[in-house]
Amino acid sequence: MEFDIAVIPGDGIGPEITGEAVKSLEAVGRKFGHGFSFQYVDMGGCAIDKYGVPLPEETLNICRESDSVLLGAVGGPKWDTLPGSLRPEAGLLGIRAGLGLYANLRPAVLYRALKGACPLKPELTDDGFDILFVRELTGGMYFGARGRKKTDGGEAAFDTEQYSVFEIERIGRVAFNLARQRGKKLCSVDKANVLESSRLWRETIHRLKEEYPDVACTDMLVDNAAMQLVRNPGQFDVIVTSNMFGDILSDEASMITGSIGMLPSASLGEGSFGLYEPIHGSAPDIAGQNRANPIATILSAAMLLRVSLKLEAEADALERAVQKVLDSGLRTADIMSEGCTVLGTAEMGAAVRAALDEG
Ligand code: NAD
């Protein structure tokens, strides 16, 4: 089969990690007889430098016309002093909204081979964990009204958290359906003891619950969820939450998997189209040094194969290749532990492709 993939390398380590993910897709294509055509487009700091805006219209159009999008990461200190709407991160929010991607899926899995890189006490992760975060992506405080005003106490700033029943039901259904395909447990995270938007969130999830009697659905306050993730991560199956809470909790979960360099994500709207990216940022501190871990981006490519292109066997093969490389003791610096061999970005990508070819 033939597929058109838009690739947004972005800034910092973005070009290095997307480079390895593209090569892994090409290797999958060779092995399984598919053709991928990749169209490279600009977003983020590099787009600001070239076009003066973080998300050129042409980038959005090419993404819309593709079967799906692979993204590295955007941002960096060079653009940190620009006004909010012109910063690289505005490109991220713009592309999510522009492509109607309201559901962000972030799996956080503790690989057996990486147990040593998990900062929790070994007895807390004896049974491992496999959590799927379902984060609402186009609402809440990141998209609500914001501004500054004069008050008696001097200048003040505000950001607004707002959710409609439509938005909560829409993300809730994605989460309930995914829980149905997994361990049939859904935890809805909110701050209903304080926030009105969370009280509406909770009421709406409770109404939806009636439609999914086979899924055990519980509520948890976000502060407790932050604690439970490091106390007993194995208790969670699927977690559904708002844009901001999901952003913070999934980064916490990434740390207990051993490295932020391991976690992929998918952003979905209606239909099979999606945008796939690692959950980490552009890591300017290690950019251009062949030190970045490409696995989160390679696993994002595997999610792209499975979710958007419906190539289940191909996705499994790529994920198995990653597992095999880790089991054989090969590591990038961020997940290095005693007795293992450290590789650079390009060498790790090559090792995954070799494992794919062998497997
Ligand atoms: P970051 O995720 O880029 O880096 C945090 C730490 O993790 C750094 O020490 C970095 O070296 C390390 N790290 C990240 N990815 C790694 C990888 N693949 N391999 C090895 N180590 C890795 O977060 P930050 O430093 O807070 O942000 C840097 C820039 O990225 C900022 O401009 C921020 O706005 C942007 N950002 C972009 C995205 C995105 O594009 N989706 C997400 C988060 C942050």
Side-chain angles (χ1 to χ4, degrees), residues 13 17 71-77 80 87 89 92 96 259-261 277-286 291-294 334:
I13 60 171
I17 54 176
L71 166 66
V74 298
D80 274 352
R87 286 181 54 149
E89 294 77 3
L92 274 179
R96 289 168 185 165
S259 167
I260 198 164
E277 58 177 318
I279 77 151
H280 57 72
S282 60
D285 52 333
I286 55 167
R291 283 173 59 199
N293 185 348
D334 55 309

Side-chain angles (χ1 to χ4, degrees), residues 119-169:
L120 300 182
K121 284 188 205 149
E123 59 268 30
L124 295 179
T125 55
D126 271 348
D127 299 328
F129 57 84
D130 178 353
I131 308 171
L132 178 62
F133 282 87
V134 179
R135 168 189 169 198
E136 201 290 328
L137 205 58
T138 52
M141 205 178 291
Y142 294 2
F143 287 87
R146 64 174 60 93
R148 298 206 178 194
K149 57 185 178 183
K150 298 270 178 283
T151 68
D152 293 344
E155 188 181 21
F158 63 94
D159 301 276
T160 315
E161 175 85 353
Q162 177 174 310
Y163 271 111
S164 67
V165 169
F166 169 77
E167 289 172 309
I168 304 165
E169 277 184 357

Side-chain angles (χ1 to χ4, degrees), residues 20-21 23-25 27-28 31-32 111-113 262 293-295 298-299 301-302 305-306 312-331 335 343 347-359:
E20 295 311 315
K23 285 186 205 161
S24 71
L25 285 174
V28 167
K31 190 177 169 73
F32 289 88
Y111 284 87
R112 200 177 48 243
M262 292 293 301
N293 185 348
I295 292 179
I298 292 173
L299 292 174
L305 291 168
R306 175 177 294 113
E312 186 74 34
E314 291 79 345
D316 283 350
L318 189 52
E319 286 169 356
R320 265 200 319 275
V322 168
Q323 179 85 56
K324 202 168 157 192
V325 165
L326 295 174
D327 286 345
S328 71
L330 300 177
R331 301 282 189 273
I335 49 174
L343 299 180
E347 293 73 26
M348 177 54 89
V352 172
R353 292 193 296 281
L356 179 77
D357 290 343
E358 283 162 18

Side-chain angles (χ1 to χ4, degrees), residues 1 5 22 48 54 68 152 162 193 227 247 258 263 300 308 316 329 347:
M1 290 169 80
I5 313 288
V22 163
I48 295 171
S68 56
D152 293 344
Q162 177 174 310
N193 55 342
M227 286 195 302
D247 190 6
L263 295 197
S300 301
S308 280
D316 283 350
E347 293 73 26

